[in-house]
Each structure stands twice: as structure tokens, then as C-alpha cells.
């Protein structure tokens, strides 16, 4: 769905990454925070490896093939 390096913006982007276990990289103000497989998502938060990240505060980047 998204190419490597593209931002996840829409809810369906997050759902796709969960469904197909596509890795996601997380940034806060251009600083790398985490990378891994998403386990849950709702309108406000994303869960990655047991940690919740606010969708409005962090940037989520698609990393297929990681």
C-alpha cells in the first residue's frame, strides 16, 4: 500500500500495517524513537510492542522489508 519511507496518515494505513505485519518506524521531531510491528490502533493512539504513541504527536513511517 505505502512505499518505504512514506508517512502513515490515514487509519487504513495503520490497519494495513497491522494486518500484514509491515514494520513502522516512529519519530518525534525528526528523532528516531522506535521501530517494529504495530499491534493495535485507534483514532488517537498506536500501540507498538506494548507502548502507546499518540498519533498527533509522533510521525509514523512505513518500513517494509526492514
Amino acid at each position: 500500500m505505502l512505499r518505504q519511507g512514506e508517512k502513515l496518515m490515514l487509519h487504513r494505513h495503520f490497519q494495513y500495517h497491522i494486518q500484514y505485519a509491515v514494520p513502522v518506524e516512529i519519530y518525534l521531531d525528526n528523532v528516531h524513537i522506535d521501530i517494529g510491528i504495530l499491534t493495535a490502533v485507534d483514532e488517537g493512539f498506536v500501540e507498538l510492542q506494548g507502548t502507546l504513541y499518540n498519533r498527533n504527536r509522533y510521525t509514523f513511517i512505513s518500513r517494509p522489508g526492514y
Side-chain angles (χ1 to χ4, degrees), residues 1-2 6-10 13 17 24-26 35 40 47 50 54 58 61 63 65:
M1 175 179 250
L2 294 175
E6 287 191 67
K7 290 182 183 179
L8 282 70
M9 306 283 287
L10 304 174
H13 294 163
H17 281 70
V24 172
E25 198 164 9
I26 300 174
I35 190 167
E47 182 182 38
N54 186 305
Y58 294 89
I61 306 293
R63 290 293 179 216

Side-chain angles (χ1 to χ4, degrees), residues 44-65:
F45 290 90
V46 171
E47 182 182 38
L48 185 133
Q49 303 167 171
T51 303
L52 293 176
Y53 295 95
N54 186 305
R55 285 178 54 175
N56 294 319
R57 185 168 184 207
Y58 294 89
T59 302
F60 303 90
I61 306 293
S62 181
R63 290 293 179 216

